[in-house]
Structures are given as C-alpha cells and as structure tokens.
Amino acid sequence: MNTPPSPPAAERTDGSSVRIGALVPLTRPGWVEAGQHLLAGLELAVGEVNDAGGIVGRPLELVVRDTAADPQRAAAAVDELARLGVAALAGEYHSVVARAAAARADTLGLPFLCSSAVLDALTEQPTEWVARLAPAQSHGWRIYADFLLSAGHSRIAVAAEPSVYWASGARILRDYLAPRGGTVIELDMRALAPTAVCDELVDNHATALLLLVGHPEPAVSIVKSVRSDQRLAEIVIGAPAGQPEFAEWARLLGDDSTAIPFLRYRPERLSPLGARVETALRERLAEAPSFVAFEGYDTVAVLADVLRSRGADRAGIAESWPRVAVEGTRGQIRFSRTPGISVWQWAWTPVQVVDRDPAQPDRFRILHAG
C-alpha cells in the first residue's frame, strides 16, 4: 500500500485525545433527519468508549463537519480534518457525497469508514484506505426487486431525478428484472409535475411506482398525487432508498405514509447489544432510532477496536480492515473484498423490505428479508 507520511498531529503521546473526523448532513439540502440519526449513533458510541477508559487511556474525540449533501463541501472537509490530525474519517449518508469524500481520503492516505452510503462504485479504483458498513446498492436493491416480483409486479415505473445514485438504482432494477419478465418504465421528474405522474402510470399500465427522488420534495407531492387519484387505488408505491424510515415522513404524509415498502438494514431481532443501544438511542433522539443510527454506532465500535490495537497511525488503521472482527449492533462485522466493490466491504448486514403499518403508522411490518 502506498503510505503517505502521517502528520505529527495524527500520532500523539502526550495523553491528548484521539480524534475521528465525522462527515454528516446536518443542513438542507442534505437529508437532515438522517444526519441527526447518524450523528446520534456516532456520539453515543464515543461516549461509551470514553466511559470505558477511551483509547488506551486517551479520550476519543469526534470532530464533526456538516456536508449539507454537497460533494465539494465534503472534499474540503476531508482536507481540513486531515490537517487537524484526525486518525480516521467516519460517517456520511449521501452516496454522491461519500464518493467525493472517499476519493479525497484515498488521495490523502486517510482511513475512511463509510457508515451509510451504498453506491457500489464508492471509489473509481480499488483502494485500501476505505471500508464500508452499509450494503452495496446492487445487493440491497436486488433484494427489493425480488420482493416486487414475489408480490406479482412486472410493470414497474420509477419516478427518477438525475443523479448518479438514482441512475445506478434504476439500472440495477432494470438489469435484474428484465431477464425475469419485468419491465422498468422510467419517468423523468425534470419533465413531469407530480400530478402528471398519475397519467403516465395509467397509460403505461404500471402496477408499482418507485420513488427515486429527493425527500421531502418531490417525494411527498408524488405520494399525495397518486394516493388521491381513484384510477390508481391498487398501485403500490415503493421507496427502496428508505425515505419512509424517518419520523418526518409520517409527519408530512399522515395516513398516506403507510404501506410504502422500503429497504432497512437491521435484523428482525436485535442482539442484547443491539437492544441496549436501541434503548439508549431512543432516549437520545426522543424517537425510534432508524437503522442509520445503528450504522453510526457500529462505525465508532469498529474504529475504536482498531485504534486500541493499532494506535492512531493512519497506515496501521487501513491495514487493519481485513482483520476486523467486531460485534456490532446488527451482527458480527468483518470486512472482505467483494467482487465489483472497490472498498473493503461488510458483506452483508441484514437486509429487510418493510413498510409502515396502516393500522399503526409508527409500527413497521417486515414484508421480505434477504
């Protein structure tokens, strides 16, 4: 591995803190609620590490930077955090932003444990510096496609906005469904108003509509338009990217927030560790924690384990990815080289397709597991 020299600040022996840089979307147009959940998990785990004696007696410190879903802002934050001497990077929710951060971290020789972003091509070339907890998009979205087929859907419309992430998702669905008799009809949301989506669904005889669009808009408006159109009473609306996971979705849509299947990355039953962390996260967030909060917690659990064994040397941290064996909130975490994935990958966290129960919107129903 090509090893750039670590700056002196990255390796201290004076008892000062060991610092981890955290990239989190905390302002619009970032998905703020996801960022808050991610940060809650990161902070909870840091607090527990310090309560247990820190990193060989040194406190663990989180240095947080708001990415606001902006790739350039994220790359600049990576530069700043590297100068500040962080031992490693953690976090980020948005795939396109995480990709920019990963590219910069790779260039600088700064270890980056990506918490939540799923885009398969997180870096253009294979790298030793980046590892990821979240499942790759191709893995999760194929499970979602299996769910659609098993539910009898073969004509599936996708309401899509332009982005590398949405285009990748549409391609995964199309490539997986086509050989199995499925058809993907793409609706360009640059050209269609939410109300016009309804006519397209009727004209194309679609039985399912997937939201490959931003949250809250235009996702919320599309759902309201489709749910109020009597011609579409039987159509299934889906959101593989997970928009309905967060409480804001239910607040904005009320009864219309339910029965919209999405991907969630957690097991049906949490381990004792997972259950304990869930309780602590619920208290911290004052609402049910999403899987993103668990991803934040697990990120710090892994980094703390590596830091205890290898110290704050950046090259040592990156060299440790293949030796990680950490009990996380959602299973045993190990990293491997996975075909088609350019980073060290946990293959795989549990994947579910769930929705909000129409009879009890704050309760989730498990519809399919992969």
Side-chain angles (χ1 to χ4, degrees):
M1 184 171 65
N2 182 24
T3 308
S6 295
E11 183 63 63
R12 297 172 177 168
T13 56
D14 59 0
S16 60
S17 62
V18 178
R19 308 175 94 189
I20 294 173
L23 304 173
V24 190
L26 294 174
T27 54
R28 298 285 188 199
W31 196 338
V32 175
E33 195 171 9
Q36 291 167 341
H37 279 234
L38 179 56
L39 184 59
L42 293 165
E43 290 179 337
L44 174 64
V46 167
E48 291 186 1
V49 167
N50 288 333
D51 288 345
I55 306 300
V56 196
R58 297 168 61 188
L60 188 60
E61 180 186 352
L62 207 60
V63 185
V64 180
R65 291 296 179 267
D66 173 21
T67 63
D70 182 337
Q72 291 180 311
R73 183 165 170 171
V78 174
D79 285 342
E80 180 199 2
L81 290 164
R83 288 194 303 272
L84 289 174
V86 300
L89 292 174
E92 195 45 51
Y93 177 80
H94 296 285
S95 281
V96 176
V97 178
R99 191 174 64 156
R104 197 71 194 127
D106 181 47
T107 298
L108 296 173
L110 181 58
F112 175 27
L113 179 49
C114 183
S115 305
S116 288
V118 299
L119 198 65
D120 281 41
L122 203 55
T123 55
E124 293 295 329
Q125 303 295 329
T127 175
E128 301 296 321
W129 294 99
V130 183
R132 173 168 56 191
L133 289 177
Q137 189 178 19
S138 59
H139 178 71
W141 287 45
R142 285 171 189 154
I143 291 169
Y144 194 91
D146 273 333
F147 159 72
L148 292 172
L149 290 170
S150 67
H153 298 289
S154 60
R155 292 191 62 79
I156 298 150
V158 296
E161 289 183 311
S163 107
V164 172
Y165 175 65
W166 299 127
S168 170
R171 184 173 61 253
I172 292 163
L173 293 168
R174 191 168 52 246
D175 291 349
Y176 191 82
L177 291 167
R180 296 164 176 81
T183 301
V184 173
I185 303 140
E186 293 198 42
L187 308 179
D188 185 352
M189 294 312 299
R190 291 172 298 182
L192 292 173
T195 49
V197 170
C198 299
D199 291 335
E200 292 287 335
L201 295 174
V202 172
D203 292 345
N204 284 287
H205 306 288
T207 63
L209 168 67
L210 305 187
L211 303 171
L212 275 55
V213 294
H215 169 82
E217 290 299 336
V220 167
S221 293
I222 294 170
V223 172
K224 288 180 176 178
S225 294
V226 173
R227 286 280 165 89
S228 64
D229 192 316
Q230 293 303 310
R231 299 172 299 170
L232 301 171
E234 300 300 317
I235 200 163
V236 168
I237 304 174
Q243 294 95 324
E245 167 84 1
F246 297 96
E248 183 186 26
W249 179 264
R251 288 195 296 269
L252 292 171
L253 280 164
D255 290 344
D256 286 341
S257 69
T258 64
I260 297 177
F262 64 94
L263 285 166
R264 183 169 73 159
Y265 308 130
R266 57 177 287 174
E268 182 174 355
R269 284 186 174 79
L270 291 167
S271 66
L273 169 64
R276 179 184 66 72
V277 170
E278 181 177 46
T279 299
L281 286 169
R282 185 184 291 270
E283 195 171 296
R284 181 176 285 260
L285 288 162
E287 63 184 23
S290 68
F291 67 83
V292 178
F294 290 101
E295 289 173 330
Y297 184 96
D298 288 342
T299 301
V300 170
V302 169
L303 287 175
D305 184 76
V306 171
L307 287 164
R308 290 188 193 104
S309 62
R310 296 302 298 259
D313 173 67
R314 291 173 178 174
I317 293 167
E319 289 165 359
S320 296
W321 299 138
R323 291 187 286 279
V324 164
V326 172
E327 187 60 36
T329 59
R330 297 159 302 142
Q332 181 84 358
I333 299 170
R334 296 177 181 271
F335 298 115
S336 60
R337 284 299 189 186
T338 304
I341 309 300
S342 59
V343 301
W344 287 99
Q345 176 71 53
W346 179 19
W348 305 96
T349 177
V351 177
Q352 303 171 339
V353 180
V354 304
D355 70 359
R356 289 182 175 270
D357 188 343
Q360 192 178 340
D362 60 351
R363 177 180 172 272
F364 295 105
R365 304 183 297 186
I366 300 172
L367 309 175
H368 186 80

